[in-house]
């Protein structure tokens, strides 16, 4: 019971104290810097930040209630990282000057500050080798000093990217995972892959009839938005797909070849090009995007 009681008190303390300080006008970053756990919780091994951290969780609690905006209008319309980086570096006297001063901060152990200023250099001049190497060294030091594994992994992954390039993510959507999704979840997964600007003018309706469950759905692509409903309108669709629920995997993975569709039990009635138009509106996720470089 003591274990459960301390776990309860840990989360309640983080929540309640964050909201208390929020009501004093403090931002999430300020609260995360000031909040300290009671000794009884701080010394409990199971309440330590081996996975998450007090700092991270406090900011999440703040964002739950206040969103991303911290009340400072200077942050309402800030420049994106590359443009901000160019301006910061110019104001600070150029990339070489920033790196030279950052070395002194590194030697003084102010790794948080080194990471902040060199991040601007790397986004402004990603080819600046001295900045990349010093920032990688800095992230390593921050990582080695982390108690919680998520921050440690983030810092060390950043150091690796700066030295060797992005290494991507091992996460992939397998056919087995797709097969475990409900039809509605499959349609939602397709909707977030629609390249909106590329199909602003596209108008497409597609009915999906699942032959083994009796379910039916209307998919509509309009104004760059793919939506679905289980209520079929009276208006005819551009095409109707007749298929078993398992055949949704073929649709979700972009199959348009008649042989592949037939193998999945998919029969297309109506405009045979409609499914291809839908698939053509989808953008494949990028598993190799960079984190600490432009």
């Amino acid at each position: 019971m003591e274990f459960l009681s301390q776990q309860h008190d840990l989360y309640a303390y983080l929540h309640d104290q964050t909201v208390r300080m929020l009501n004093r006008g403090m931002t999430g970053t300020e609260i995360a810097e000031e909040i300290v756990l009671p000794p009884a919780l701080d010394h409990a091994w199971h309440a330590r930040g081996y996975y998450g951290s007090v700092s991270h969780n406090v900011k999440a609690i703040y964002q739950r209630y206040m969103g991303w905006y911290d009340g400072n209008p200077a942050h309402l319309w800030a420049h994106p990282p590359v443009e901000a980086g160019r301006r910061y570096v110019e104001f600070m006297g150029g990339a070489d000057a920033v790196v030279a001063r950052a070395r002194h901060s590194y030697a003084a152990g102010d790794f948080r500050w080194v990471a902040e200023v060199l991040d601007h250099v790397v986004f402004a001049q990603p080819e600046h080798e001295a900045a990349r190497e010093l920032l990688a060294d800095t992230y390593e030091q921050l990582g080695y000093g982390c108690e919680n594994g998520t921050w440690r992994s983030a810092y060390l992954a950043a150091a690796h990217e700066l030295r060797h390039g992005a290494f991507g993510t091992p996460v992939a959507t397998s056919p087995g995972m797709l097969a475990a999704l409900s039809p509605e979840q499959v349609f939602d997964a397709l909707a977030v892959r629609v390249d909106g600007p590329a199909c602003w003018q596209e108008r497409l309706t597609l009915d999906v009839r699942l032959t083994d469950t009796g379910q039916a759905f209307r998919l509509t692509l309009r104004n760059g938005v793919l939506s679905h409903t289980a209520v079929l309108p009276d208006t005819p669709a551009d095409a109707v797909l007749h298929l078993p629920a398992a055949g949704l995997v073929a649709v979700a993975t972009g199959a348009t070849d008649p042989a592949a569709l037939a193998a999945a039990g998919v029969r297309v009635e109506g405009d045979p090009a409609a499914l291809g138009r839908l698939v053509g509106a989808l953008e494949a996720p990028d598993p190799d995007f960079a984190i600490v470089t432009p």
Side-chain angles (χ1 to χ4, degrees), residues 138-180:
T138 302
Y139 282 140
E140 279 185 340
Q141 293 302 313
L142 287 167
Y144 295 155
C146 271
E147 183 176 41
N148 78 85
T150 50
W151 279 25
R152 181 168 59 253
S153 295
Y155 284 132
L156 297 182
H160 186 281
E161 180 181 309
L162 286 164
R163 292 191 175 117
H164 309 292
F167 54 84
T169 171
V171 177
T173 303
S174 66
M177 181 183 296
L178 287 173

Side-chain angles (χ1 to χ4, degrees), residues 2 58 69 146 164 172 201 204-205 218:
E2 182 66 13
V58 162
Y69 179 47
C146 271
H164 309 292
Q201 306 305 319
L204 173 66
T205 55
R218 166 68 60 91

Side-chain angles (χ1 to χ4, degrees), residues 80-100 116-136 161-162 292-294:
V82 170
E83 293 304 318
R86 291 171 180 167
R87 289 163 172 79
Y88 273 110
V89 169
E90 180 185 358
F91 265 58
M92 291 187 286
D96 292 340
V98 177
V99 172
E116 183 168 341
V117 296
L118 290 186
D119 180 65
H120 291 306
V121 178
V122 170
F123 271 85
Q125 298 182 26
E127 72 287 349
H128 199 291
E129 288 301 323
R132 294 175 70 102
E133 187 59 35
L134 183 56
L135 184 54
E161 180 181 309
L162 286 164
V292 294
T293 55

Side-chain angles (χ1 to χ4, degrees), residues 16-203:
D16 296 350
Q17 294 307 304
T18 297
V19 175
R20 178 181 66 84
M21 287 189 266
L22 180 160
N23 287 330
R24 286 168 46 195
M26 297 175 66
T27 67
T29 302
E30 291 168 336
I31 298 170
E33 198 71 12
E34 180 170 315
I35 196 167
V36 177
L37 290 178
L41 298 178
D42 192 47
H43 297 159
W45 68 265
H46 53 85
R48 298 295 303 177
Y50 303 123
Y51 178 75
S53 74
V54 168
S55 176
H56 199 111
N57 290 353
V58 162
K59 294 167 189 169
I61 294 167
Y62 178 91
Q63 188 174 47
R64 176 191 178 191
Y65 291 105
M66 303 300 291
W68 65 269
Y69 179 47
D70 61 4
N72 185 339
H75 302 154
L76 277 175
W77 197 25
H79 285 290
V82 170
E83 293 304 318
R86 291 171 180 167
R87 289 163 172 79
Y88 273 110
V89 169
E90 180 185 358
F91 265 58
M92 291 187 286
D96 292 340
V98 177
V99 172
R101 299 188 69 172
R103 292 190 190 281
H104 293 290
S105 297
Y106 182 93
D110 193 356
F111 303 122
R112 295 166 68 183
W113 179 244
V114 177
E116 183 168 341
V117 296
L118 290 186
D119 180 65
H120 291 306
V121 178
V122 170
F123 271 85
Q125 298 182 26
E127 72 287 349
H128 199 291
E129 288 301 323
R132 294 175 70 102
E133 187 59 35
L134 183 56
L135 184 54
D137 290 343
T138 302
Y139 282 140
E140 279 185 340
Q141 293 302 313
L142 287 167
Y144 295 155
C146 271
E147 183 176 41
N148 78 85
T150 50
W151 279 25
R152 181 168 59 253
S153 295
Y155 284 132
L156 297 182
H160 186 281
E161 180 181 309
L162 286 164
R163 292 191 175 117
H164 309 292
F167 54 84
T169 171
V171 177
T173 303
S174 66
M177 181 183 296
L178 287 173
L181 300 179
S182 68
E184 293 88 349
Q185 289 172 325
V186 171
F187 302 144
D188 286 342
L190 294 177
V192 298
R193 290 179 50 198
V194 170
D195 183 350
C199 55
W200 282 340
Q201 306 305 319
E202 180 69 272
R203 296 291 185 273

Side-chain angles (χ1 to χ4, degrees), residues 187 204-210 215-220 227-243 248 251 266-270 274-275 278:
F187 302 144
L204 173 66
T205 55
L206 195 68
D207 283 351
V208 176
R209 296 182 179 273
L210 303 181
Q215 294 172 285
F217 301 89
R218 166 68 60 91
L219 304 184
T220 303
S227 56
H228 68 271
T229 177
V231 178
L232 299 187
D234 294 333
T235 56
D238 293 307
V240 180
L241 303 184
H242 301 271
L243 69 163
L248 285 173
V251 176
V266 181
R267 179 173 63 86
V268 181
E269 174 187 332
L275 180 58
L278 174 60

